[in-house]
Amino acid sequence: MELKEFVTGVLTAIIDGVKASQRETEHAREGEINPLLATNQGTLQSQGRLVSRWGQLVQTVKFDVAVTVEEGTGTKGGIGIFMGAVGLGSQGESKASQASVSRIQFEVPVALPYQEQKA
C-alpha cells in the first residue's frame, strides 16, 4: 500500500467517524461533536481553552490508534486496527509475511452537554 492510499484511507475513516457521531448526537443540541468555535473567546482563549459558538467549553478527545499493515504470500494484505484482544481488518493465512505497525494520533473537539439543574 502506498503512503498516499494509507493517508487517504485514514483521514476518510476519521471524517466518517466524526460525521457518524454527529448524526448519533444530532437530537441533543446541548452537546456537539467538532463544534463551530467562537471567534471572540475572551479570557478563556488566553488560558488555552476553546469555546463553542453557543458559549460551551470545548474539550478535545485524543485518540492514539495502532495500525498494523500486513503483507505476505497468499494474503491480500490490508490494514488492521487492534484494540486489546479484538482485531479488526485483514488477517492473512500466509506463512511468509511482513507486518509493520504505525500509530495514528488525532483529536476531536467535543462540547459536552451540561447537566440540568435539579429543583
Side-chain angles (χ1 to χ4, degrees):
M1 174 182 289
E2 289 186 29
L3 180 61
K4 181 173 125 180
E5 293 174 67
F6 176 74
V7 170
T8 300
V10 168
L11 293 177
T12 301
I14 291 169
I15 290 170
D16 289 346
V18 169
K19 285 181 150 292
S21 62
Q22 287 171 330
R23 282 191 296 275
E24 289 289 324
T25 60
E26 195 170 36
H27 66 282
R29 286 299 289 167
E30 301 88 31
E32 292 181 282
I33 309 298
N34 196 28
L36 184 61
L37 300 178
T39 55
N40 184 10
Q41 299 185 20
T43 58
L44 288 173
Q45 185 176 13
S46 65
Q47 297 172 1
R49 305 301 300 258
L50 300 173
V51 178
S52 76
R53 65 181 171 197
W54 305 109
Q56 290 175 284
L57 201 54
V58 175
Q59 311 291 323
T60 56
V61 177
K62 297 179 182 182
F63 293 87
D64 186 352
V65 182
V67 178
T68 303
V69 177
E70 185 173 321
E71 292 188 31
T73 57
T75 65
K76 294 180 183 175
I79 297 175
I81 299 175
F82 296 90
M83 299 177 293
V86 178
L88 306 172
S90 168
Q91 297 181 6
E93 307 166 356
S94 174
K95 294 180 182 168
S97 65
Q98 293 181 346
S100 64
V101 178
S102 300
R103 292 176 65 177
I104 299 168
Q105 298 175 342
F106 61 97
E107 299 178 15
V108 177
V110 177
L112 299 174
Y114 291 105
Q115 182 173 346
E116 293 290 326
Q117 210 170 22
K118 296 179 182 179

